[in-house]
Amino acid sequence: MTISRSVPMSSGRAGRGMRTAGVAPLGVATGIHVYEYFGANPVSLAALFLTSAAGTFIGAGLLLTRASQLGWLIGGGVSLLTFVAYCLTRTVGIPGVDPSDDIGNWSEPLGVVALVVEAIAFVLAMIALGGRSRRTP
């Protein structure tokens, strides 16, 4: 008879690798949204860029510490919300933003990169928080 125990992915070498993998897309998303903040108009759109940048920065910072679960929650959650907001700006628009600027403009290069890194960050967060574990003898 063998006894096995679950080892969470946030512990040990696998956990460090996951956290490192999560910091990369969150860092890229932070940089993109800080860059976009400085050219954003109106103020409501600038506030959304700044909020997204702050959330992904905090999430990445927490992943670099031992508070990885909170980092995954914040980083993954902000990434998902930012992804949804981008989709809204390209489909129905958001209040206070001129719809002729963004509706239908799906091919903006930084926007596409942001979507990709936010999707990666969200998927990694779901894997890390999803209760997946590995069995050890």
Side-chain angles (χ1 to χ4, degrees):
M1 174 170 141
T2 60
I3 299 173
S4 64
R5 63 184 181 97
S6 294
V7 177
M9 289 189 72
S10 62
S11 68
R13 223 172 257 205
R16 281 191 301 271
M18 278 292 288
R19 290 193 315 267
T20 301
V23 168
L26 291 174
V28 171
T30 299
I32 289 171
H33 292 108
V34 166
Y35 176 81
E36 290 289 340
Y37 164 77
F38 288 107
N41 193 15
V43 173
S44 60
L45 188 59
L48 290 173
F49 282 128
L50 190 58
T51 302
S52 178
T56 53
F57 180 79
I58 290 168
L62 290 169
L63 288 179
L64 291 173
T65 68
R66 291 309 234 174
S68 62
Q69 185 171 7
L70 184 58
W72 286 120
L73 285 169
I74 293 172
V78 169
S79 293
L80 175 64
L81 292 173
T82 305
F83 190 100
V84 169
Y86 183 88
C87 292
L88 288 173
T89 64
R90 297 320 191 245
T91 55
V92 297
I94 56 174
V97 177
D98 182 8
S100 65
D101 288 345
D102 292 324
I103 291 181
N105 184 17
W106 289 95
S107 61
E108 181 183 7
L110 275 180
V112 172
V113 173
L115 284 176
V116 170
V117 296
E118 288 155 2
I120 291 168
F122 178 72
V123 168
L124 289 173
M126 291 302 93
I127 291 169
L129 295 172
R132 293 189 179 191
S133 61
R134 60 186 171 109
R135 301 260 178 204
T136 58

